[in-house]
Amino acid sequence: MGLHSHGVPAEPCFSWEITFHDSLSRYGCLLIDMARFSHEGKWSSDHKRGLPVLLMSARPRLRDVVDGMRRGALDFLEKPVDIEDLLAAVRKAFELNRMALAAENIR
């Protein structure tokens, strides 16, 4: 059961460049599999632009979790991911993104 079956729009991205350059309004958050995107630190640039980042890994190491949270990740999920935990994290990220977009529109 994926995000789509729970009413959450999701789009897989297999190229870092596509993800990295998309606008804040196109995606509500980035869900990054640490095994796929091992480009250390690149995702933190998206976070600095306001895009919430969720990290996940099948084999999380404590230092990866700590490093990810220090770089500004909203959450770190261990695979296999419990769908309820994932949905809660995504909803929280979407809400933060919605607030960031609203704040930009006020300026």
Side-chain angles (χ1 to χ4, degrees):
M1 232 186 229
L3 290 171
H4 283 288
S5 63
H6 287 22
V8 178
E11 181 179 328
C13 180
F14 301 104
S15 167
W16 181 259
E17 288 73 27
I18 293 170
T19 303
F20 188 70
H21 294 293
D22 275 316
S23 71
L24 194 69
S25 60
R26 176 154 182 202
Y27 296 110
C29 71
L30 291 179
L31 175 59
I32 299 174
D33 186 335
M34 298 289 287
R36 249 185 224 278
F37 291 110
S38 60
H39 303 342
E40 185 175 321
K42 280 194 176 181
W43 66 265
S44 63
S45 298
D46 277 319
H47 174 72
K48 288 176 185 170
R49 288 188 348 214
L51 195 59
V53 174
L54 304 172
L55 300 175
M56 65 179 177
S57 176
R59 293 183 219 119
R61 297 177 304 182
L62 181 58
R63 76 174 165 193
D64 293 334
V65 175
V66 170
D67 184 55
M69 299 309 282
R70 282 186 180 154
R71 289 178 188 269
L74 182 61
D75 208 340
F76 198 109
L77 304 163
E78 186 172 355
K79 291 168 63 178
V81 177
D82 177 78
I83 190 66
E84 293 305 319
D85 291 342
L86 177 59
L87 288 170
V90 167
R91 286 183 185 123
K92 183 177 178 182
F94 280 10
E95 180 61 18
L96 286 172
N97 189 50
R98 186 193 65 72
M99 290 187 306
L101 287 170
E104 277 188 10
N105 289 334
I106 291 173
R107 292 180 205 169

PDB file of all heavy atoms in Angstrom, residues 16 48 71:
ATOM      1  N   TRP A  16      18.497  13.241  -9.076  1.00  0.00           N
ATOM      2  CA  TRP A  16      18.670  14.283  -8.072  1.00  0.00           C
ATOM      3  C   TRP A  16      18.450  15.661  -8.676  1.00  0.00           C
ATOM      4  O   TRP A  16      17.849  16.529  -8.068  1.00  0.00           O
ATOM      5  CB  TRP A  16      20.064  14.199  -7.459  1.00  0.00           C
ATOM      6  CG  TRP A  16      20.231  15.259  -6.410  1.00  0.00           C
ATOM      7  CD1 TRP A  16      20.878  16.438  -6.536  1.00  0.00           C
ATOM      8  CD2 TRP A  16      19.678  15.251  -5.106  1.00  0.00           C
ATOM      9  NE1 TRP A  16      20.780  17.165  -5.384  1.00  0.00           N
ATOM     10  CE2 TRP A  16      20.042  16.456  -4.492  1.00  0.00           C
ATOM     11  CE3 TRP A  16      18.890  14.339  -4.393  1.00  0.00           C
ATOM     12  CZ2 TRP A  16      19.672  16.776  -3.192  1.00  0.00           C
ATOM     13  CZ3 TRP A  16      18.528  14.665  -3.095  1.00  0.00           C
ATOM     14  CH2 TRP A  16      18.913  15.856  -2.511  1.00  0.00           C
ATOM     15  N   LYS A  48      16.839  24.413   3.079  1.00  0.00           N
ATOM     16  CA  LYS A  48      17.074  25.830   3.338  1.00  0.00           C
ATOM     17  C   LYS A  48      16.151  26.701   2.510  1.00  0.00           C
ATOM     18  O   LYS A  48      15.846  27.827   2.890  1.00  0.00           O
ATOM     19  CB  LYS A  48      18.536  26.185   3.075  1.00  0.00           C
ATOM     20  CG  LYS A  48      19.451  25.624   4.131  1.00  0.00           C
ATOM     21  CD  LYS A  48      20.903  25.895   3.807  1.00  0.00           C
ATOM     22  CE  LYS A  48      21.775  25.199   4.839  1.00  0.00           C
ATOM     23  NZ  LYS A  48      23.170  25.205   4.472  1.00  0.00           N
ATOM     24  N   ARG A  71      21.121  18.537   9.817  1.00  0.00           N
ATOM     25  CA  ARG A  71      21.002  19.261   8.544  1.00  0.00           C
ATOM     26  C   ARG A  71      19.595  19.799   8.327  1.00  0.00           C
ATOM     27  O   ARG A  71      19.349  20.503   7.366  1.00  0.00           O
ATOM     28  CB  ARG A  71      21.382  18.351   7.379  1.00  0.00           C
ATOM     29  CG  ARG A  71      22.850  18.036   7.313  1.00  0.00           C
ATOM     30  CD  ARG A  71      23.106  17.089   6.142  1.00  0.00           C
ATOM     31  NE  ARG A  71      24.458  16.614   6.150  1.00  0.00           N
ATOM     32  CZ  ARG A  71      25.464  17.211   5.516  1.00  0.00           C
ATOM     33  NH1 ARG A  71      25.243  18.311   4.836  1.00  0.00           N
ATOM     34  NH2 ARG A  71      26.672  16.708   5.571  1.00  0.00           N
TER      35      ARG A  71
END
